[in-house]
């Protein structure tokens, strides 16, 4: 057995290591003088304007922070809704097809919300909007994801494999599936136009379009909440309607700052956008007009039959006349918000509203629902 090293042995080893030390090639004896460094700095390259950098957190509309703070916890979640009360066997096959169809129609608008609002949120970073605007958009993206989830859960419970991945077993089911294919084709046209157009317009024009969508959606869900007899959908429509009301408040807060300083060109463009938005949103609030919607001759008759069947199941779909009256009320709400700022409201003969005749441009459909 080797003897353990002694204290003296350790001391000798330490001394030997110390004698073997070598100094680094350069030693920093003092910190560089800041003034010397300042004279040698090089400016960073410029950044393209359409970029999220530089990041800043300036505030022009503190009220938006209050709205964002209230939205941090929306107070509900799609997975906690009483889905167990929605039993497919309680409805006929056609009733299931019809209700799933309505949520597929809704998904063209509300289900696409996460993507369109996320793109709009990115735009607020690129255009260097104030911090609370960006944060409010973030909260809306989260809300719209909840709304999209409601659409998906309803469709999957009523038509497993839906909206398109199943084979209908009845004539009405085939009509519904064909209509959905046409709806999603038109939705793809909207998305292409939106993503290409969102960068082209000043914030006032964008937010006026967004406001129209929020007025429409809050009107829709209020009516559906009142009429439906299906517990899970009644709760869903109530919660979604509350979210849409908050989104409406965001749009109004932003527009109160922007509308008073509009140029005449901006006002004319808003009139055009309002007509375009009305045409697009009529696809869910009333019936899809021809100016934007490319649909086959069977579409409208099929949808009217599907609506009747969904209504018989208790979904709460308003009649065509009731939808027209509700849509007119929503449009008049929108008009009341814009009249004080000298914006000429477009003629909307479909719901009996007179106004400025504007040329419809399908490439300028940018509302968010």
């Amino acid at each position: 057995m080797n003897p353990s090293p002694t204290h003296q042995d350790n001391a000798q080893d330490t001394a030997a290591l110390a004698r073997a030390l070598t100094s680094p090639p350069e030693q920093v004896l003092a910190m560089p003088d800041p003034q010397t460094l300042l004279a040698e700095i090089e400016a960073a390259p410029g950044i393209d304007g359409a970029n999220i950098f530089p990041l800043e957190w300036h505030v022009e509309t503190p009220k938006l922070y209050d709205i964002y703070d209230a939205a941090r916890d929306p107070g509900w979640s799609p997975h906690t809704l009483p889905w167990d009360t929605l039993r497919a066997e309680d409805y006929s096959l056609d009733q299931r097809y019809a209700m799933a169809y309505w949520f597929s129609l809704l998904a063209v608008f509300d289900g696409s919300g996460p993507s369109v609002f996320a793109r709009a949120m990115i735009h607020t970073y690129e255009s260097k909007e104030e911090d609370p605007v960006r944060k409010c958009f973030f909260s809306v993206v989260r809300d719209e994801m909840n709304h999209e989830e409601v659409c998906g859960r309803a469709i999957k419970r009523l038509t497993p494999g839906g909206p398109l991945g199943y084979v209908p077993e009845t004539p009405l089911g085939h009509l519904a599936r064909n209509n959905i294919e046409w709806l999603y084709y038109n939705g793809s046209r909207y998305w292409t136009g939106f993503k290409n157009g969102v960068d082209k317009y000043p914030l006032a024009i964008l937010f006026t379009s967004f406001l129209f969508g929020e007025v429409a959606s809050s009107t829709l869900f209020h009516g559906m909440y009142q009429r439906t007899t299906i517990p899970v959908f009644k709760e869903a429509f109530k919660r979604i309607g509350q979210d849409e009301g908050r989104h409406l408040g965001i749009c109004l807060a932003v527009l109160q700052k922007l509308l008073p300083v509009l140029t005449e060109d901006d006002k004319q463009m808003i009139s055009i956008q309002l007509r375009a938005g009305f045409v697009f949103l009529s696809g869910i609030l009333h019936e899809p007009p021809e100016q934007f919607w490319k649909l086959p001759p069977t579409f409208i008759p099929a949808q009217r039959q599907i609506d009747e069947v969904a209504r018989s199941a208790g979904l709460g779909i308003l009649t065509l006349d009731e939808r027209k009256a509700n849509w007119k009320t929503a449009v008049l709400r929108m008009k009341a918000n814009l009249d004080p700022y000298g914006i000429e409201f477009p003629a909307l003969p479909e719901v009996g509203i007179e106004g400025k005749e504007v040329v419809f441009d399908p490439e300028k459909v940018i509302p968010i629902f």
Side-chain angles (χ1 to χ4, degrees):
M1 178 179 295
N2 294 326
S4 301
T6 65
H7 178 73
Q8 184 177 0
D9 292 335
N10 289 336
Q12 291 174 346
D13 290 343
T14 301
L17 285 173
R19 289 192 296 273
L21 289 176
T22 57
S23 300
E26 294 184 14
Q27 297 186 44
V28 178
L29 302 179
M31 292 295 293
D33 176 49
Q35 290 295 335
T36 301
L37 286 178
L38 191 60
E40 298 174 356
I41 63 170
E42 180 179 342
I47 298 174
D48 175 63
N51 199 295
I52 67 167
F53 292 99
L55 294 177
E56 296 177 306
W57 288 265
H58 66 283
V59 180
E60 299 170 14
T61 318
K63 179 181 178 180
L64 289 172
Y65 270 141
D66 297 334
I67 297 175
Y68 175 67
D69 287 340
R72 290 178 186 272
D73 179 7
W76 74 286
S77 180
H79 76 286
T80 62
L81 295 175
W83 293 105
D84 59 320
T85 65
L86 181 64
R87 302 189 308 167
E89 59 268 25
D90 291 342
Y91 304 95
S92 71
L93 198 54
D94 276 344
Q95 285 177 327
R96 299 202 295 271
Y97 290 147
M99 289 192 288
Y101 172 81
W102 188 86
F103 280 99
S104 299
L105 167 62
L106 178 62
V108 175
F109 301 87
D110 232 10
S112 62
S115 297
V116 292
F117 266 110
R119 182 63 192 87
M121 183 184 76
I122 292 170
H123 179 67
T124 65
Y125 275 83
E126 293 171 335
S127 56
K128 310 302 183 294
E129 297 302 333
E130 57 177 311
D131 185 49
V133 168
R134 304 192 311 239
K135 284 182 166 54
C136 282
F137 265 83
F138 167 74
S139 73
V140 174
V141 174
R142 187 271 324 281
D143 291 342
E144 295 297 329
M145 187 62 77
N146 284 342
H147 305 173
E148 182 239 36
E149 184 177 339
V150 168
C151 292
R153 284 177 177 267
I155 292 167
K156 289 187 289 185
R157 275 188 172 266
L158 294 164
T159 54
L164 297 175
Y166 72 102
V167 178
E169 300 177 30
T170 70
L172 188 79
H174 281 283
L175 288 171
R177 194 183 186 285
N178 181 256
N179 268 22
I180 292 169
E181 292 174 357
W182 279 97
L183 285 169
Y184 287 177
Y185 162 69
N186 282 276
S188 72
R189 294 174 55 236
Y190 162 71
W191 169 246
T192 299
F194 174 82
K195 68 179 182 179
N196 292 335
V198 70
D199 297 326
K200 298 178 181 178
Y201 302 109
L203 198 63
I205 293 175
L206 290 176
F207 263 91
T208 306
S209 298
F210 299 166
L211 178 64
F212 207 176
E214 300 303 345
V215 168
S217 59
S218 58
T219 299
L220 171 72
F221 289 113
H222 177 70
M224 296 291 289
Y225 165 72
Q226 288 183 317
R227 291 295 184 88
T228 187
T229 59
I230 302 172
V232 65
F233 295 149
K234 182 173 281 292
E235 182 66 14
F237 297 151
K238 174 185 175 182
R239 296 298 189 173
I240 294 174
Q242 290 172 344
D243 291 347
E244 302 293 3
R246 187 169 61 251
H247 303 170
L248 188 62
I250 293 170
C251 291
L252 288 172
V254 172
L255 287 173
Q256 284 172 359
K257 179 186 73 172
L258 298 176
L259 292 181
V261 294
L262 289 176
T263 67
E264 289 304 314
D265 287 344
D266 287 341
K267 292 178 182 180
Q268 292 179 24
M269 179 56 68
I270 287 175
S271 297
I272 295 172
Q273 285 288 352
L274 290 171
R275 175 63 190 165
F278 173 84
V279 169
F280 179 67
L281 295 168
S282 288
I284 184 72
L285 267 291
H286 187 226
E287 283 187 335
E290 294 179 354
Q291 292 97 325
F292 169 80
W293 297 88
K294 296 181 179 179
L295 301 168
T298 57
F299 185 93
I300 294 296
Q303 179 163 290
R304 289 178 180 177
Q305 291 185 36
I306 295 166
D307 281 354
E308 286 292 339
V309 175
R311 193 177 297 114
S312 74
L315 184 56
I317 296 176
L318 278 62
T319 67
L320 195 58
D321 287 341
E322 290 170 334
R323 292 207 297 271
K324 181 177 179 179
N326 266 21
W327 196 195
K328 181 176 182 178
T329 299
V331 167
L332 291 174
R333 287 175 60 199
M334 182 70 182
K335 187 174 184 298
N337 281 301
L338 299 181
D339 279 349
Y341 301 99
I343 297 170
E344 292 186 88
F345 211 78
L348 305 176
E350 296 87 346
V351 291
I353 293 180
E354 297 181 353
K356 179 182 179 181
E357 295 293 334
V358 299
V359 177
F360 173 76
D361 186 346
E363 301 300 320
K364 296 177 179 177
V365 179
I366 59 168
I368 296 182
F369 193 70

